[in-house]
Amino acid sequence: MPSFRVAVVGILAGALSIASSLTAQSAARTTEPVARLDVTVGSADASGASLRNESTWTMQAALTRRVTRALRMGGAWTWRRGGGRGDICALPSDGSQACLSRVPRQSQATLLLSTGRQFDGVDFDVVAGPALAFGEGRPLHGAMLGGDVGLGGEVFGFVVGYRFTTLRNGAGDRQQYKGPQLGMRVVF
């Protein structure tokens, strides 16, 4: 995990140096942007009834559109791929034990609502919405909550965020994913 932290610090340092030049571009936007696309990658700690504090890689694509001055709506698609540190044991309700070798692969669709503020070319947003996840195992439903900080120019920029997702299904399986995200933003 130390190599991941070193990579994140390097990416953030590069992003901040590039962001300073992009922020200069955003001094005077003549029209309000209509939509925003964020593509981020990150890691997440996975825990729950069938997961025991394992790590997983995530990638998210989120498209939102401004509907009022204070509210954005849209959707996000998240992919999760296991990168666990060991066995993940699922304990079914019948008392038998079944072990998986990694965090299950999973895709998640989320309806997003966000609100935020902009200060000197830096966007601060809170995002939330209902989520439906599927992949290996039974489908799960729940909610996603997060925060984003975006910096950049009129068209391209960087986004740093944090996501917390809690999911469950009717069979009693529950899962939680939480972790940082880093990526690019396109405004149009």
Side-chain angles (χ1 to χ4, degrees):
M1 208 59 162
S3 63
F4 176 73
R5 289 186 184 125
V6 170
V8 168
V9 169
I11 291 169
L12 285 174
L16 289 175
S17 67
I18 294 170
S20 63
S21 64
L22 290 174
T23 303
Q25 296 176 18
S26 64
R29 179 183 265 284
T30 56
T31 60
E32 184 69 23
V34 176
R36 191 162 69 192
L37 173 66
D38 294 345
V39 177
T40 58
V41 295
S43 68
D45 290 329
S47 63
S50 62
L51 305 173
R52 155 184 99 209
N53 293 327
E54 300 293 335
S55 63
T56 184
W57 289 95
T58 65
M59 181 176 154
Q60 184 179 74
L63 181 63
T64 58
R65 178 181 174 88
R66 183 169 302 285
V67 291
T68 68
R69 183 161 175 78
L71 181 66
R72 300 183 73 81
M73 287 184 64
W77 192 267
T78 306
W79 297 269
R80 292 189 188 92
R81 297 299 179 252
R85 297 179 292 261
D87 284 345
I88 305 156
C89 290
L91 302 173
S93 58
D94 64 3
S96 62
Q97 185 172 354
C99 286
L100 303 173
S101 62
R102 60 177 165 66
V103 174
R105 294 174 186 228
Q106 191 177 73
S107 294
Q108 173 182 310
T110 307
L111 175 65
L112 290 179
L113 297 172
S114 76
T115 186
R117 306 277 283 175
Q118 184 177 39
F119 300 101
D120 295 328
V122 179
D123 294 316
F124 298 92
D125 295 301
V126 175
V127 297
L132 175 63
F134 47 91
E136 298 174 340
R138 292 184 165 158
L140 300 124
H141 61 279
M144 193 260 319
L145 176 66
D148 291 331
V149 176
L151 10 134
E154 287 188 31
V155 178
F156 296 103
F158 294 98
V159 63
V160 177
Y162 189 87
R163 297 286 180 268
F164 173 77
T165 303
T166 183
L167 302 165
R168 65 182 35 225
N169 64 21
D173 189 15
R174 63 176 174 69
Q175 298 174 6
Q176 292 183 341
Y177 298 90
K178 57 185 175 183
Q181 301 282 306
L182 177 65
M184 297 294 296
R185 172 171 286 173
V186 180
V187 178
F188 49 95

